[in-house]
Amino acid sequence: MMDPTLEIWLRVGFAGAVFALMAAWELLAPRRTLSIGRLWRWPSNIGIVVVDALLVRLLVPTAAVGASLYAAGHGIGLLHWLDLRLSIAAVLGFFVLDFVIYAQHYAFHHIAWLWRLHRMHHADLDIDVTTGLRFHPIEILISLGIKIAIIIAFGIPPVAVIVFEVVLNATSQFNHSNVAMPTWLDRILRLIVVTPDMHRVHHSIVRAETDSNFGFNLPWWDRLFRTYRRQPQAGHSGMTIGLPIFRDRGELRLDRLLTQPFRGDKDRF
Ligand SMILES: [Zn+2]
Ligand SMILES: [Zn+2]
């Protein structure tokens, strides 16, 4: 197995490269005119990435891979019991993890206290590459717990866990980006991956649209479970991004992001 320090730096380096690529694409070919813009939002959105990284984010893949190594070493989990070839177990493991992320995202929208944590991701008043990294540390921690339980229950191989983490980070940055691409390209990409236009619908202020397109990687779960919505009703340029609450610019400050789960309406929004 790879040295964990090297593994962390490889992951950070790859995530940084994807970030630079998407940020440049956003500058060259933006999809929407940002209402607040980078200057006001990026320090907080990048600030939350640093807080997350220090608290949990760097732990996540390491702990997840650790759980996977434990399961492999002890022969625990469905995929080990089925005694499949590594390549088949890895592909199945990837699909299982992706489905769990979809189901978990659905749960974070429909269970009140989970929504309070996830709501912060949706309270961004614009959507761009940094929104894809803007999650509350407690949400990341809960997500880690669920992931470890699934990895052990299914005995998902370490290679699948590492590939999944790297791909999930890249696709999350990609599908939150404010980038324009030809309609035909979006249509083709949408067959295999969640595109920026597909995920942007999920950041609409309209609740029916917020509660659709839960996928992060593979676009198929939304179609399978009928949570798929092709486009926002107001169009990508006309739609309003964010939630009915937390619309004040001050809510984009780092300290406000961290306290949002503990403030605001008792109702869903
Ligand atoms: Zn969501
Ligand atoms: Zn999102």
Side-chain angles (χ1 to χ4, degrees):
M1 210 59 208
M2 198 188 285
D3 170 11
T5 321
L6 178 65
E7 190 197 313
I8 286 177
W9 285 111
L10 280 177
R11 269 193 293 111
V12 171
F14 184 73
V18 173
F19 179 84
L21 185 75
M22 297 319 300
W25 188 352
E26 285 182 341
L27 270 184
L28 294 172
R31 181 72 160 102
R32 290 163 46 89
T33 311
L34 298 182
S35 57
I36 305 285
R38 289 178 160 188
L39 215 61
W40 191 267
R41 294 170 41 256
W42 278 31
S44 312
N45 285 4
I46 291 170
I48 200 86
V49 176
V50 173
V51 172
D52 285 345
L54 294 177
L55 289 177
V56 276
R57 220 182 243 286
L58 289 177
L59 277 176
V60 173
T62 316
V65 173
S68 171
L69 287 169
Y70 177 84
H74 292 76
I76 300 170
L78 189 64
L79 295 173
H80 291 299
W81 297 332
L82 292 175
D83 207 17
L84 300 168
R85 275 182 29 210
L86 177 64
S87 53
I88 294 174
V91 172
L92 287 176
F94 185 95
F95 285 128
V96 168
L97 284 172
D98 200 59
F99 172 69
V100 168
I101 289 285
Y102 165 85
Q104 177 192 309
H105 190 182
Y106 184 91
F108 269 89
H109 275 243
H110 292 90
I111 298 169
W113 68 275
L114 291 177
W115 169 249
R116 290 180 84 88
L117 296 169
H118 180 61
R119 201 171 53 169
M120 186 272 260
H121 175 66
H122 283 267
D124 200 348
L125 296 173
D126 280 320
I127 171 171
D128 69 12
V129 59
T130 60
T131 315
L133 303 166
R134 182 184 140 135
F135 292 93
H136 200 279
I138 303 176
E139 174 173 355
I140 297 182
L141 207 58
I142 293 171
S143 172
L144 171 63
I146 295 170
K147 207 175 283 172
I148 286 177
I150 294 297
I151 287 169
I152 292 180
F154 282 85
I156 297 175
V159 61
V161 175
I162 295 174
V163 169
F164 184 76
E165 289 299 333
V166 169
V167 170
L168 183 67
N169 176 281
T171 51
S172 185
Q173 294 197 69
F174 168 67
N175 64 38
H176 284 86
S177 291
N178 181 39
V179 294
M181 66 174 80
T183 318
W184 62 264
L185 182 59
D186 176 83
R187 212 176 307 139
I188 292 172
L189 284 178
R190 236 182 238 218
L191 298 174
I192 49 164
V193 71
V194 174
T195 64
D197 274 12
M198 179 173 164
H199 190 72
R200 196 174 299 103
V201 178
H202 185 74
H203 282 261
S204 161
I205 196 170
V206 179
R207 177 162 168 188
E209 294 180 349
T210 315
D211 287 342
S212 60
N213 298 2
F214 293 99
F216 272 105
N217 260 335
L218 302 172
W220 311 324
W221 313 117
D222 281 299
R223 296 184 190 242
L224 202 60
F225 296 100
R226 298 177 181 279
T227 51
Y228 178 65
R229 201 171 285 263
R230 223 164 60 81
Q231 307 291 353
Q233 203 161 27
H236 287 280
S237 306
M239 70 188 292
T240 303
I241 301 292
L243 298 173
I245 59 164
F246 302 137
R247 297 208 65 81
D248 190 275
R249 267 169 177 259
E251 287 295 342
L252 297 167
R253 255 177 30 207
L254 180 58
D255 59 313
R256 306 292 285 175
L257 298 187
L258 287 166
T259 57
Q260 270 176 9
F262 315 105
R263 294 185 288 115
D265 264 321
K266 289 263 183 302
D267 294 333
R268 185 168 180 272
F269 284 112

